[in-house]
Amino acid sequence: MSSKPIFLISEDKALLQADVIQRMLNKTYWGKGRTVEEIQKTISNSRCYGVYLNGEQIGFARVLTDEVAMAYLSDMLIDDRFQGQGIGQQLLDYIFKDKPYQHVQRWILRTLDAHSLYEKFGFTAPEKPEVYMEKVFKPWSGN
């Protein structure tokens, strides 16, 4: 009788492994080429979530927020070896139930290929895309 592995989701930044996050990011269309120093800076300036199995980091996500008007979900990652097992859904469920976000009015994110995952959590295309603007200094390689 095999049991499901127990994953730990933690907000403890001391547990985060920037080299592992860099390896996962380098496999993405949006984070390729990000240095460990840049990753450490994003960690310092965000609320972060790590997913661990037996001490090995296998997932990551970060949120930028004012905890009232807006929250931006970024760098949502699950190691390739563990994708398709519902771990990403568990991580998102954990994040969206986290106390600081209970009164956030609008969540935003960017994705080219994970719409079906985020739709499970209520995300849709912007209802009025004409009201959104951006200022780009480094083009997003996902475009």
Side-chain angles (χ1 to χ4, degrees):
M1 178 185 226
S2 73
S3 60
K4 280 183 126 180
I6 308 271
F7 299 96
L8 168 69
I9 299 174
S10 174
E11 298 166 57
D12 184 349
K13 289 183 179 183
L15 297 177
L16 294 171
Q17 302 162 15
D19 57 328
V20 173
I21 296 167
Q22 182 187 38
R23 181 180 46 78
M24 288 189 287
L25 273 171
N26 272 323
K27 295 179 181 180
T28 69
Y29 55 84
W30 72 87
K32 191 172 289 201
R34 203 175 294 171
T35 67
V36 169
E37 293 77 21
E38 290 171 329
I39 291 165
Q40 289 170 331
K41 189 170 187 175
T42 66
I43 288 169
S44 295
N45 293 302
S46 306
R47 190 173 179 98
C48 298
Y49 300 83
V51 182
Y52 308 89
L53 176 62
N54 300 322
E56 176 189 4
Q57 185 168 358
I58 62 164
F60 177 72
R62 60 191 190 89
V63 177
L64 293 90
T65 185
D66 59 16
E67 297 183 10
V68 176
M70 181 280 300
Y72 177 71
L73 177 65
S74 185
D75 295 338
M76 173 70 184
L77 305 162
I78 301 297
D79 187 288
D80 294 344
R81 298 170 295 153
F82 299 94
Q83 289 183 5
Q85 299 179 32
I87 299 166
Q89 290 183 40
Q90 290 177 43
L91 177 55
L92 289 171
D93 189 57
Y94 183 95
I95 291 169
F96 295 134
K97 287 181 178 173
D98 201 359
K99 189 175 179 181
Y101 312 129
Q102 295 313 296
H103 301 289
V104 171
Q105 298 165 1
R106 181 176 306 269
W107 280 85
I108 57 174
L109 59 82
R110 293 173 71 171
T111 186
L112 284 179
D113 57 3
H115 296 79
S116 62
L117 170 63
Y118 297 116
E119 286 168 352
K120 292 175 185 174
F121 292 89
F123 282 86
T124 62
E127 97 188 5
K128 292 187 178 186
E130 66 276 10
V131 303
Y132 287 90
M133 296 180 69
E134 64 183 0
K135 183 176 180 178
V136 179
F137 292 97
K138 183 178 177 185
W140 192 49
S141 41
N143 290 336

